[in-house]
Every structure is written in C-alpha cells, then in structure tokens.
Amino acid sequence: MANTTWLLSIGTAGTNAARFLLKLSAATLAFTASSTSVLAQDEQMIIEEIIVMATKREQTLQEVPVAVSVVSAQTMQKAQILDIKDLQSIVPSLRVTQLQTTGNTNFIIRGFGNGANNAGIEPSVGVFVDGVYRSRSASALSDLPNLERVEVLRGPQSTLFGKNASAGVINVVTARPDLSGFGGSTSLTLGEWNQVIVKGDVTGPLSDSVAFSLSGSVNNRDGYYTNLVDGVEYGDRDRWGVRGQLLIVPNDKLEMRFIADYDEMDEVCCGVANLVDGPTGNAIRALGGNLVGNQPFAYQNYYDFNPTNQVDNSGISMQIDYDFESMVLTSITAYRNQSRFENSDVDFTSARLINPNSNDTELDTFTQELRLTSNGDGAVDWMVGGYYFDEEVEINNVLTYSSDFRNYADLLAAGNVSALEAGLGLPAGTFFASGQGNFENAGQDDRSYSVFGQIDWHMTDRVTMTLGANYTNDKKDAFVNMNNTDVFSSLSMVQVGFGLAFQQLTGLPPTPQNIAANPAAAAQAQALSTTSCSAQNPPPGCNQLLALRPLQFLPPFVGYPNAVESGNSNDSKTTWTARLAFDWTDNVNVYLGAGTGFKATSWNLSRDSRPFASDIAAINSAGLGVNNLVAGTRYAGPEDSTVYEIGLKARFDRGAVNVAIFDQEIEGFQSNIFTGTGFALANAGKQSTTGIELDATWVPTDALELTFSGTWLDPTYDDFQGASGIGGLPVDLSGGDVPGVHKFSMNTSATYNFDIGANMSGFVRGEYIYDDKVRIIENVPEDVASRDVSMVNASFGLQWANGFEAMLWGRNLTDDQFLLSAFPSVAQAGSYSGYPSEPRTYGVTFRMNFE
C-alpha cells in the first residue's frame, strides 16, 4: 500500500466501493454499540464460545485480534463437507480451484493465492494439519479425518506461520485421543453416481496416562463427465485413508502426541470442455478425431485415452508439550512424503496428437518447530520460537508427439511441413514423428529456517498491544535437465531460410567458402531470411518459413545450473505484526492491525523454463546457446505482502458479529498463466485488494439459527506489465481488475432444530451460495469465460437417543453451472477450453455414535 494512513486513503478515494465500506462498517459499529445494553440485561449466552489456535495459543474467537473463519465438525457434517476443497461453500473468503489433475489445485484467500501446475511453486496459502505444514495442495486434498474444527486465517500470517503464508492459512485441528473413556462412530453414505463413503473412528484410554485413536475412510464414486470414445466417466472418487494417534500424559506437566497417517487417491480427473471450437477444430476432424465443440456444460467430450491421477500422502509427527509453570515448551517434529503420478490427454480431443503427458513427482519434507509460550498470568504474554524446513523435490516428465501430430501440423501449415522436409532432403516422417518430444528431469532442495517472537502487552484491563516479528531465510538449489528429440522445433527458420535464399540467388550450396566468395548475395539472403511474408511483401522477397515458427512447440532447451545460471536462490526477510485491541465491553472487541507476509522465490521446474533476457548473451558467449532460444523466466522472485486491517468482534445473548475491513497488497505476486503451449511464470509488480468481510450469527429462537457471511472486494493489478494476454501477446494489466476474483461473495444458511418426543431430535438446514460475475482469466476473452455462482445446498437429519443418526443431503440442488477455470486450448490456436463445475448431487448418510 502506498501510504500507511489507509483509512484516510479509503475515505478520500471517492469511489462508491470505499464509501460503501465505511458506511457498512459504521452501521455495524452502531449495531454492536446498541447491543451492549442487551448484554447488560442478559448475561446468558446461547452462542457457544469458540476456541481457536490462530495465534498458536488457545484463545476464544472473540478475543483473538485476527480475521478468522471457524467451521466446526458439526457444521461440516450437516453441510456434507468432505475435504478442504468443499470448505469454500461456507467460507466466502476462501476459493479452491481444481484444474486438469486431482493434485493441481489452488487455494485462494481474499483473491490471493497460487501454487498449481508446477511443483517448484509453493502455495501462498499455507495449510497446516495439527501444526504440521503441508507444503503442496495435493497433500491436503484427502478426505478430512476425525475433526474438531477448521480455522481459515485471512491475510498475511508469516509472523507466526513463516514463509508461504503470505495470503493466509488454513489450520486443520483434528480430535485428540480421549483419556476419559471409550467412544467413536461409524458412518455410511450412499449418494448419486453410485457413491459409497464408509468412515469409522474409535478412541479411548489404554491406561490412566495413555490414550489412542484410530480413524479411517473409503470414498468411491463414479464420474459425471463422459468420454464418448469408450464411455469412461471422469470426475470419479477413489480415495481411502487411515490415521492413528497416541496421546501420552505421564504427569500434569508433560504431554506427548504421536500421529501417523496414510492416504491414497486414484482417480480419473478431470473433464475439460471446449468453449470455442476454433479454426483448428476442422483439422482435428480431418484426422478422424472429434470433440464436442462450443458446449461448456455438455459434460462429455472425446479423448483418445483416459487420464491417471495417483496421489499418495503419508506422514508421521510428534508433538511434545512441557509445562514449566511459568512457560510451556512445545516441539513439533514431522516428516511427510508425497508421491504423485499423473498423465492426461492434454489436447483434450480424440485425435492422437499428444501421447500421455506423464508426470512423476516425489516430495520428502522434514519440519521442526520449537517454541516457548508464557502461561498468560502476567501483564505481558509472550512467545518465542524457531522453525526449520527441509524438502527435496524430484520430477520426471515426458511429453511426446503421437501418431496424428505430423499430419495435424501439415494441415495447419497447408502442406509446408512436408514440403520443407523434402526441400531439405530429409526422409519422409522426420518431422513430428511419434515419440519425439521432451524428456525432463527436474528438482530442488529447499532448506529454510525462521526465528520468531510475539508479545501481547495488556496495557490496561481492556487494551492490549501485540507486537511480533519473524526472520526467515530460505535457500533453494534447483535444476532442470532436458533431452529434447523434436527435430522440427530444433530448426532455425532464419538459418534455413538464409540457405535456401542464398542457393536461389547464386545456384550454389551455402557452404562457408561459397558465402565468403559471394558477400553481396549473402547480405541479400540474410535480409530475406529475417523478413516475414505479408500481402504487402509476398515471396520471393521474404522468408516463408517464418510462418512455421508457431508450430515449433518444443524448442531446444538449455538446462540449469550451468556456467551462467547457478540455479540457486537465497532469500531472507523480516516480517512483522502490530495490533492494538480494545475490549469495548465484556462482549465487544475492536482491533486495529497491520502486518506483513513473505513467500520465497519459486523456481520454474518445467520445460517452460527459459533464461532471463539479461542472461542470453552470456549463455551464447559460453557456447551454451541453442537454436530458437528465447528469453523467459527461470524463477519468480519473492512475494511480499502487507495488510492494514480494522476489525470488530461482538458476541451477545442470541448472536455474534465479526467484521474485518482491510487493505491488502502483494508485491511481486507469482503469476503462472497457461499460454496454450506452456506456462508463463512471472512476477506481477503489485496486486492489491481493499475489502470488507462480515460474519454474523443470529439465534432468534432456541430452535432456529441463521448465519450470513459476506465478502466485498475491490481487487486491482496496480502494476502488471508484460502479462500474457489473448493469443499469448504481452499486455499491460496495470490498473485493471484481477480476473477470477469475485467482488462480492456470500453464504447464508438457516438451520432449524426440533424434537420429536423424548428420544428423537432433528434438523433442517438450507444454504445459499452466491458469487457475482467475474472474468475468469486474462488470456481468454470475457465473453468466452466468465463465472457467476448461485447455488443451493440442503440437508435434513434425525438423531436418536441411542446415538444413531440419519441425514438426507443435496449439494447444488439448483444444478447451477459455471466454469472453474479456462485456458487457450493446447496447440490449437483460436480455440479455448475450460473446467465445468460439478453438477447436482445428493445422498443419504447413516451414522452411529457410541460411547
């Protein structure tokens, strides 16, 4: 943000959005102030206190001066929330987008977030499960275990959560083993598309000081998106997982918690629709292939083979807490492994253009956190700690042409591929032969450490000042090696054009001796070789071969590290937090805060990696240059985020209101946009969002609970020059809206609870989700790919005194259809593709709780 007096800047901006934010916040403050008289009259709270770990110490949601959304296990059961991806239906500030494979998923909070399609890009939204960081989104997508709650922390959280929390944190808290007695549950869900979900958990004491818990789940479902070639359904579920815990409490000072988990996903994902059947569609059909054109929500298409999505996650962790009376020492040690094997038909047609784009990724992650926390009895609460992160990433990727690609390229080039082949005296079939392509091996070692501290100074009984800082150092050693066998893409059309022009001018082959002996002809041939043909300048006064450059999809690659590029990055940053919290009354709290966040350099571990323009000359001088070497990026530099926020939290006898008004920005946002033949990783200069978030709960009667959550955002690219626009052309997006970020999103629900006699109770719950219309992405036209959401979910449940429950549920009952994302179709210029939303689904769940 340009100036620190952010409230003044909002007030003087003169925009309708800014005035609306101030009016709404003022109205909320007035409403809360008026409620204090009610609080004085009625101290009995129907709304239960919610305990959170947003500041790594137990506090109530009302007293913690951080913008947090909390979803309880009970709410998730009633709303049929199975994994983190489903959370977005009840947390408007959170958006989760799944792309072409199960593991390629983006978490976004307040419009900020990235991390998909490249294992070198760590997410901007950190996911923690029982205090352990999940370094990639694919490791957090399995069905949620036996939960206590999920906390969504909005805004930069790097002071306490370190790197990769520059946009926010999703903190998953599971149920602890129970020392007091045995208990557990088992459930069966039957749903549409032959869905069967079986879950079970058991917990109890093994002795007076040791307790255990075991949980497991199996989730199977047919798909809803049909491959018209063989009838296979995409979008299925095939998941299972187990989780075990051991809690040891030998005395009142020491507690140890051990957790081990393993889960697998093996799914056919994901269905891709054709949005625009462009000029390449007829070439696809001429080859005998097919596609369902111009029908985003046909939920069917033609593919010549089916994808594979295998994701295995496993991990162990140990948390030790020791109470020194004046302070508590906490140690969390964890090791995690993620193994992913994926392939997909990336041209998304039944023509045999591309062989399986196979991607084999392995991640091994070790983390260690140590922290000391005061007991909270004095005027100053404090916390100091350190964190160590060590991760190894290895990727093996194969992308090769299939049997139809040569004829496809020849059709697009009007026969000039074959003509060039013959003109060079090469055997027929030399260009685009099946099996030619890229064979990639890439990886990185990432080692980082953080030291952090935070104090809460209780200046008076009602005023608390919080100050915190975190120093993070992050070192990465990255590499990409490539074996490229694509003959056509290795040709320099300028050099070939020069040779042909020289021979036409002189009748001599372009040998060094002939060129030296004919300098005038050589100069003329050189000029012709770099001149593109046009209606104003037709052949022979130009180089016709330059028109074939767009078909050079897989040009030669310069691997790194090399003599010019080290492949190393070393980033360090001190982030900070400052907040002032005021207890207006015993039940109304106001806070004013500011903070910063940090995300380290992300390396481009893919075939799309290209040297920076500033390194091209040195690479050529070192003898590393190859034909068709163009500038790009090897990495995107660090993200630095800043937020200024004012918030209010009120809890009264029959309701609660939480408001956060903020101005947040990220400098150097790491953008990774698909251009049609690869991904462009680059830093956006600055992305900012001014907004307001409102969470409200009202219980007008003992039986009825009403909730409303709304987010108003004004997202802007303050500075983003050279972004990838339509047709892959660079555009300046500075000053424009950020695609894909809704300006207004909301969720509202109503839950009615009732009793039927003395031994039975029930509930009815309805939910409405709304997102206003937004352009999805900058390099797809808005009239082709925009999104707005209007969705209804509902559930009806009964509970018996013996612990048995039955629930009928439905999601997206209105069968709302919208696009999750969109992109230029692969190697099909002028065509566009997208990912359609999941259609309506419904089912019934039976659950038995036992003690």
Side-chain angles (χ1 to χ4, degrees), residues 393-397 440-444 479-481 604-606:
V393 180
E394 184 167 3
I395 305 165
N396 288 286
N397 177 268
E440 171 197 348
N441 174 241
Q444 71 177 18
F479 69 91
V480 179
N481 298 314
N604 194 344
L605 304 181
S606 77

Side-chain angles (χ1 to χ4, degrees), residues 537-602:
N537 185 29
C542 59
N543 183 359
Q544 299 181 73
L545 299 181
L546 297 180
L548 298 179
R549 278 178 163 179
L551 297 178
Q552 296 183 305
F553 298 112
L554 302 175
F557 190 85
V558 175
Y560 69 86
N562 54 52
V564 177
E565 302 167 297
S566 68
N568 301 327
S569 59
N570 188 348
D571 304 316
S572 60
K573 184 72 173 182
T574 298
T575 56
W576 54 267
T577 297
R579 290 189 295 264
L580 188 65
F582 172 61
D583 296 339
W584 191 351
T585 72
D586 291 342
N587 299 293
V588 180
N589 308 79
V590 179
Y591 68 90
L592 178 67
T596 61
F598 167 70
K599 176 183 171 183
T601 293
S602 287

Side-chain angles (χ1 to χ4, degrees), residues 66 100 110 183 231 270 281 323 390 659 735 789:
V66 177
Q100 74 272 22
R110 290 179 172 174
C270 300
D323 190 347
D390 188 339
V659 181
V789 179

Side-chain angles (χ1 to χ4, degrees), residues 36-182:
T36 57
S37 62
V38 177
L39 291 169
Q41 299 170 11
D42 188 356
E43 294 296 331
Q44 183 179 2
M45 295 291 180
I46 292 177
I47 301 294
E48 295 183 0
E49 278 195 336
I50 300 173
I51 304 299
V52 297
M53 289 288 292
T55 58
K56 293 196 174 182
R57 67 164 74 229
E58 288 193 350
Q59 292 179 282
T60 67
L61 177 62
Q62 180 186 340
E63 67 182 346
V64 63
V66 177
V68 186
S69 296
V70 181
V71 185
S72 68
Q74 183 182 38
T75 298
M76 283 185 280
Q77 287 179 13
K78 291 181 178 180
Q80 191 64 8
I81 303 297
L82 297 179
D83 59 24
I84 289 178
K85 185 166 65 71
D86 293 334
L87 277 176
Q88 61 185 321
S89 66
I90 50 180
V91 181
S93 293
L94 173 67
R95 285 293 170 264
V96 186
T97 300
Q98 190 168 69
L99 304 176
Q100 74 272 22
T101 64
T102 299
N104 276 317
T105 303
N106 272 337
F107 296 146
I108 299 169
I109 294 178
R110 290 179 172 174
F112 300 98
N114 52 27
N117 285 304
N118 193 323
I121 305 175
E122 295 171 276
S124 300
V125 175
V127 178
F128 293 78
V129 180
D130 291 326
V132 176
Y133 176 53
R134 302 290 181 95
S135 66
R136 299 299 188 279
S137 58
S139 65
L141 291 176
S142 54
D143 290 357
L144 293 171
N146 190 22
L147 287 180
E148 183 177 307
R149 66 184 182 276
V150 177
E151 305 168 3
V152 180
L153 285 62
R154 308 188 293 270
Q157 305 294 330
S158 292
T159 300
L160 293 183
F161 290 91
K163 66 167 189 168
N164 308 121
S166 58
V169 165
I170 301 173
N171 189 33
V172 179
V173 181
T174 70
R176 293 156 50 90
D178 192 348
L179 270 170
S180 64
F182 284 92

Side-chain angles (χ1 to χ4, degrees), residues 360-427:
D360 196 346
T361 304
E362 191 87 16
L363 294 97
D364 292 295
T365 309
F366 172 80
T367 57
Q368 173 64 58
E369 180 175 5
L370 283 172
R371 64 177 185 265
L372 278 171
T373 307
S374 66
N375 63 8
D377 291 340
V380 176
D381 295 330
W382 53 267
M383 177 187 298
V384 294
Y387 185 81
Y388 178 71
F389 175 90
D390 188 339
E391 181 174 76
E392 294 184 2
V393 180
E394 184 167 3
I395 305 165
N396 288 286
N397 177 268
V398 177
L399 178 65
T400 60
Y401 299 120
S402 192
S403 56
D404 284 341
F405 200 92
R406 177 202 161 78
N407 291 333
Y408 173 72
D410 216 20
L411 283 171
L412 297 184
N416 284 321
V417 169
S418 297
L420 177 60
E421 199 173 56
L424 294 176
L426 298 174

